[in-house]
């Protein structure tokens, strides 16, 4: 049980780092570099991938294994940090914004994979309660580490060295996840989509999930629902005609 909590807590910790970077460290750093409050306010747009993660959640849940998704996303976060280390926000603000947007996108994918692993690993009310504690404490600790601790590091070592440090942190976690024995349990692996009564098709067609969310009678979203439904019907009809 302790191995599960350490594993989940560590992953939620590194997942909280991007939020701490953008919510606490980045505004202070950019303001010190002379950027306007308007430009700093626009950096909140970089959180947008978290709103859209419902589109790729079915893909993460049904394709591949949790280990591969976690190793891939944590390694991707290491690469984005390495890219950020090569860019100075004073001179390359849009390049930094691009790397942070990529970081948020990858972190949103990691969030889906970690939650899925937690569902497979934790059994019973007691473990679920402890797992929820690991989630909240780990994520908050990562945010505080990035927003407070790294602010002190950047004051001494500078922007580039701070992201080099984060690169090593993420790389170390990726190696840890790759060899983590807790993921050897078959319960945390993705089931074959063919055994889910045709639900595997939604993994490669995430717009179906989006269409279901918009299917609320009596709301303006219904118009978009009808349009996406017609688009999918037309695509299915075209596919049938090609095969016949």
């Amino acid at each position: 049980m302790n191995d599960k909590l350490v594993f989940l807590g560590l992953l939620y910790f590194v997942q909280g780092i991007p939020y701490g970077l953008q919510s606490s460290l980045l505004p202070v750093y950019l303001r010190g570099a002379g950027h306007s409050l308007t430009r700093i306010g626009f950096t909140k747009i970089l959180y947008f991938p978290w709103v859209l993660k419902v589109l790729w959640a079915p893909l993460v849940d049904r394709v591949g294994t949790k280990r591969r998704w976690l190793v891939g996303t944590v390694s991707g976060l290491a690469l984005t940090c390495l890219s950020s280390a090569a860019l100075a926000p004073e001179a390359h603000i849009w390049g930094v914004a691009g790397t942070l947007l990529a970081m948020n996108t990858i972190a949103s994918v990691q969030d889906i994979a970690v939650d899925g692993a937690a569902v497979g690993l934790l059994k019973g009310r007691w473990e679920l309660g402890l797992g929820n504690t690991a989630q909240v404490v780990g994520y908050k600790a990562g945010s505080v580490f990035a927003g407070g601790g790294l602010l002190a590091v950047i004051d001494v070592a500078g922007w580039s060295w701070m992201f080099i440090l984060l690169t090593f942190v993420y790389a170390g976690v990726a190696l840890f996840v790759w060899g983590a024995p807790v993921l050897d349990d078959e319960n945390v692996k993705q089931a074959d989509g063919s055994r889910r009564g045709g639900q595997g098709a939604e993994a490669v067609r995430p717009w179906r999930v989006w269409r279901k969310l918009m299917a609320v009678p009596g709301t303006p979203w219904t118009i978009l629902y009808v349009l996406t439904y017609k688009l999918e019907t037309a695509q299915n009809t075209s596919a049938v005609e090609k095969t016949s």
Side-chain angles (χ1 to χ4, degrees), residues 41-223:
F42 276 123
T43 60
K44 300 301 180 183
I45 298 175
L46 301 176
Y47 291 124
F48 199 61
W50 288 90
V51 179
L52 299 178
K53 73 174 187 174
V54 65
L55 296 178
W56 46 81
L59 183 69
V60 178
D61 280 337
R62 304 181 193 280
V63 176
T65 62
K66 293 295 188 296
R67 189 189 302 274
R68 289 180 178 178
W69 279 109
L70 291 172
V71 171
T73 52
V74 177
S75 300
L77 289 169
L79 291 176
T80 58
C81 288
L82 190 61
S83 300
S84 296
L87 301 171
E90 296 88 350
H92 306 95
I93 184 63
W94 296 113
V96 171
T99 58
L100 292 177
L101 182 64
M103 183 178 290
N104 274 303
T105 303
I106 297 171
S108 71
V109 176
Q110 183 207 356
D111 176 59
I112 299 165
V114 178
D115 289 346
V119 170
L121 288 171
L122 303 174
K123 310 298 180 184
R125 283 179 168 270
W126 175 248
E127 289 194 1
L128 287 173
L130 293 176
N132 186 61
T133 301
Q135 175 189 23
V136 174
V137 173
Y139 188 86
K140 293 296 183 183
S143 299
V144 171
F145 166 74
L150 291 182
L151 193 59
V153 172
I154 201 172
D155 186 50
V156 176
W159 175 272
S160 295
W161 282 107
M162 179 198 70
F163 274 102
I164 290 174
L165 171 63
L166 284 180
T167 300
F168 282 107
V169 170
Y170 280 118
V173 174
L175 291 174
F176 171 77
V177 174
W178 180 257
V182 295
L183 288 178
D184 294 337
D185 191 341
E186 291 294 326
N187 291 328
V188 300
K189 294 182 179 179
Q190 272 76 2
D192 186 355
S194 61
R195 293 180 295 172
R196 293 179 177 257
Q199 291 179 349
E202 292 191 357
V204 294
R205 295 179 181 178
W207 62 81
R208 286 187 174 182
V209 179
W210 186 247
R211 181 163 57 82
K212 289 178 180 179
L213 289 175
M214 293 188 296
V216 182
T219 66
W221 294 108
T222 307
I223 299 175

